Amino acid sequence: MTAVIQEARVVAKKADRVWVQACIEQGCSSCHLSSSCGQGLLARWFSRPPPLLQLDAPNLVLEVGDRVELGVDASILNRAAWLQFALPLMTLLLASIFAEFLGVTSVFMQLVVAILGLAVGLLGARKFAGQATKPELLRKVTT
C-alpha cells in the first residue's frame, strides 16, 4: 500500500477514541517565502481550520497534545479526487447534451439545465465522499 501521510495533533481523547486535527505547520505556513508568495497570500485569505477527525486508537497510548501520523491509501485518495472533479463536470456536460437533445433553444434555459446538472454532480460527489474511508492512525510521532 502506498500511503499519503499527514501529521496531526490529538486534541481530545475518550477511552479508545481520539479526535485529531491536521497540523498546519506544514505547507505554505511553514515556508519562509509565504509573506511574498501569491499562493501563501491565498492560503491566508481563504484558509479554514482543519476539521476534527474521530478515530479509533485501541493500540496506541495517546494523550492530548501528542503528534501522530495519519495514513490514507493513495489509490483511495486518487479515486476521491477524480470523483470530486470528474462527476460534477460529467453531469454538467450530460445535462447540456440532454437539453440540446430535447430541443431547448433558449440560451438561458440551456444555462439553467447545465447548472442543475452541475448541482446534481456536486451533490452526488458529496454523497459518495461521505462514504470514503477515514485515515488510519499509523504511529505516534516522537520528538
Side-chain angles (χ1 to χ4, degrees):
M1 163 180 106
T2 303
V4 176
I5 297 173
Q6 170 73 41
E7 273 194 24
R9 186 176 310 279
V10 176
V11 294
K13 178 186 175 189
K14 190 176 206 179
D16 283 345
R17 291 194 137 331
V18 292
W19 286 262
V20 298
Q21 190 171 31
C23 293
I24 58 173
E25 291 88 21
Q26 298 173 344
C28 281
S29 60
S30 67
C31 178
H32 69 281
L33 296 175
S34 66
S35 61
S36 62
C37 171
Q39 186 72 23
L41 181 66
L42 288 175
R44 282 192 305 279
W45 281 356
F46 297 113
S47 66
R48 287 186 257 162
L52 288 176
L53 296 174
Q54 181 181 359
L55 302 170
D56 292 325
N59 300 332
L60 295 173
V61 178
L62 298 172
E63 297 300 325
V64 174
D66 286 347
R67 292 185 109 163
V68 293
E69 281 187 352
L70 304 177
V72 176
D73 187 12
S75 64
I76 293 172
L77 193 61
N78 287 336
R79 196 173 329 133
W82 272 104
L83 178 71
Q84 292 290 318
F85 290 108
L87 185 62
L89 179 62
M90 293 303 294
T91 55
L92 180 141
L93 291 173
L94 288 174
S96 298
I97 292 169
F98 186 67
E100 186 72 29
F101 177 74
L102 290 178
V104 176
T105 56
S106 168
V107 174
F108 177 74
M109 285 307 295
Q110 287 179 345
L111 181 64
V112 168
V113 171
I115 290 173
L116 287 174
L118 177 65
V120 167
L122 289 171
L123 290 173
R126 182 174 182 168
K127 180 182 184 286
F128 291 128
Q131 299 171 353
T133 59
K134 289 185 179 179
E136 297 177 38
L137 277 173
L138 298 178
R139 67 182 180 92
K140 181 178 176 179
V141 176
T142 56
T143 55

